[in-house]
Amino acid sequence: MEKRPSGIKPESWLVSAGRASEPGAPLNVPPIPASNFIIGREREYSRDDGTPTWEALEEVVGGLESGKAVAFASGMAAIAAVFDQLAAGAVVVLPDDCYQGVVGLAAAGAERQRWSVQRVAVDDTAGWIRACGVADLIWLESPSNPLLTVADLEAVCAAPRKPGAIVAVDNTFATPLNQQPLDFGATVSLQSATKFIGGHSDLLAGVATTKDDALWHALRKSRELTGATPGTLEAFLAVRGARTLALRLQRAQQTAMLLAERLEEHPLVTRVRYPGLPSHPTHAMAKRVLKGFGTIISFDLLGGAEIADRVCRNVRLIRHATSLGAVESTMERRAAIPGQGHLPPSLLRLSVGIEDADDLWVDLDSAIRSAAQ
């Protein structure tokens, strides 16, 4: 797996990595739908040894994250592989605001007495530092989903930790272009490539990246034993989508900032959560640890859940759909999802795409005003 040279910027790596270099080779690594290979070299069976298509995705994301990557069938498969490293009786610490898939996985393991689970507020840096001394898995998510709280990753990742403990950072919202958890000292960085890496709502994939060779081998072994392998077409599409990540992120972040500022002035919006706004509780931290503020906005509406649901039904350009990080803007009421009782009932999470900013504002403003009538 080729590493990103120190003189190559991430924007160039996105375009150049994961390609063959020998004369006569295809410019793009093709989808290789093969489960087995002719015996005689290092690659014999794809579940064990991977494929060139998977490896292209691993090279792209691993170089972005400054480590060695392992591709999985989904973001949750990558997450499950990290949890798979825990011994019986382990202590897991999760953020108070966290992706529900992780919360569900941790709860299921706790019910089977595989581990115990503690929760710490995302912005409670002192609490996280204390947890590092007792936890076997520190699970950080920053910015958090969906309240967009930014953690002091630098301090937490550098804190003394229990021997053998894993500090894992879900870096999906920030993307490797805005945040480098491994450089802060995290053990492993996770990407749901379904989101920003793929960028087109047409695949499921996940990637775990680490600088720890032993953990890298262990994650590959977990993928092999559980069969959590990425699909051939999905890996190909993720690589193709990643080529434009820098452009998509730049455009969507600019629009997100504009929409967040306008939403903050809207008479029917009671609160806007976006790390780029000075009013955001962790804005100062975001300026320190993030290179960009991202494309996700969460905001609360006057009138409660019913009004929020109407807004989701009223939008036309923005799609009423889950997930995020794609070229199209999507929005949903997160408290409608089971297990999200800590969220305000009227909170909407908006994933900003690459459409025209003014068109998105007209659609959003019209939907809000019509819902309130």
Side-chain angles (χ1 to χ4, degrees):
M1 184 184 301
E2 184 182 353
K3 294 184 178 180
R4 176 164 61 92
S6 58
I8 298 294
K9 292 182 173 60
E11 293 81 358
S12 298
W13 179 259
L14 280 166
V15 178
S16 64
R19 299 187 188 273
S21 56
E22 61 270 17
L27 184 62
N28 295 304
V29 174
I32 299 176
S35 58
N36 50 332
F37 299 82
I38 302 299
I39 293 175
R41 293 195 176 181
E42 69 280 358
R43 196 190 311 277
E44 295 182 359
Y45 191 59
S46 62
R47 180 167 59 82
D48 303 338
D49 306 318
T51 74
T53 315
W54 304 357
E55 290 167 357
L57 175 59
E58 291 169 345
E59 183 174 305
V60 171
V61 178
L64 287 179
E65 295 267 30
S66 301
K68 295 172 67 177
V70 183
F72 290 88
S74 66
M76 277 306 303
I79 290 165
V82 175
F83 274 77
D84 193 39
Q85 308 310 309
L86 299 177
V91 175
V92 176
V93 181
L94 302 181
D96 60 342
D97 183 42
C98 185
Y99 174 54
Q100 268 309 103
V102 176
V103 174
L105 176 66
E111 288 174 4
R112 299 184 182 97
Q113 299 183 335
R114 292 184 60 189
W115 49 64
S116 61
V117 178
Q118 301 175 14
R119 305 294 288 269
V120 175
V122 176
D123 56 353
D124 181 4
T125 304
W128 284 106
I129 291 174
R130 288 193 299 271
C132 285
V134 299
D136 298 283
L137 174 60
I138 295 286
W139 190 271
L140 293 160
E141 185 178 299
S142 181
S144 67
N145 182 11
L147 297 180
L148 301 172
T149 307
V150 178
D152 189 348
L153 290 187
E154 192 170 15
V156 178
C157 291
R161 67 187 73 156
K162 183 178 179 180
I166 295 172
V167 176
V169 178
D170 187 334
N171 201 30
T172 299
F173 270 34
T175 81
L177 295 180
N178 281 341
Q179 187 167 259
Q180 294 279 307
L182 299 185
D183 288 346
F184 287 142
T187 317
V188 60
S189 180
L190 285 297
Q191 288 289 329
S192 174
T194 307
K195 278 71 169 183
F196 291 96
I197 300 296
H200 292 79
S201 301
D202 55 6
L203 64 93
L204 291 174
V207 184
T209 308
T210 182
K211 294 183 179 182
D212 185 320
D213 282 342
L215 180 57
W216 180 77
H217 284 289
L219 291 170
R220 281 181 60 100
K221 178 58 70 173
S222 180
R223 180 181 71 181
E224 173 190 333
L225 295 178
T226 61
T229 55
T232 298
L233 179 60
E234 286 79 359
F236 172 80
L237 290 173
V239 172
R240 188 173 70 169
R243 303 298 188 201
T244 59
L245 173 60
L247 295 174
R248 290 186 281 109
L249 185 65
Q250 180 183 40
R251 168 65 175 254
Q253 282 186 152
Q254 291 173 345
T255 301
M257 189 72 217
L258 183 149
L259 295 180
E261 290 171 341
R262 292 181 180 180
L263 283 167
E264 199 166 39
E265 299 298 321
H266 201 289
L268 300 176
V269 174
T270 59
R271 182 171 181 178
V272 181
R273 297 172 176 85
Y274 182 67
L277 292 174
S279 60
H280 193 278
T282 55
H283 174 66
M285 183 64 66
K287 289 198 299 182
R288 183 160 69 83
V289 302
L290 295 173
K291 297 176 183 176
F293 298 122
T295 74
I296 313 299
I297 306 168
S298 290
F299 59 98
D300 304 349
L301 289 166
L302 188 68
E306 183 178 351
I307 296 296
D309 285 334
R310 287 183 198 167
V311 172
C312 290
R313 293 193 297 266
N314 288 349
V315 287
R316 293 293 178 264
L317 185 60
I318 299 167
R319 299 299 176 179
H320 183 200
T322 193
S323 202
L324 51 97
V327 291
E328 70 278 354
S329 297
T330 58
M331 186 169 66
E332 64 178 329
R333 186 171 73 85
R334 293 298 292 176
I337 299 172
Q340 299 279 273
H342 69 293
L343 299 179
S346 68
L347 181 142
L348 295 178
R349 188 188 70 187
L350 171 64
S351 173
V352 179
I354 62 171
E355 304 94 339
D356 179 82
D358 288 329
D359 286 346
L360 287 174
W361 175 247
V362 169
D363 187 39
L364 189 58
D365 178 52
S366 298
I368 293 172
R369 293 182 185 279
S370 62
Q373 292 178 353

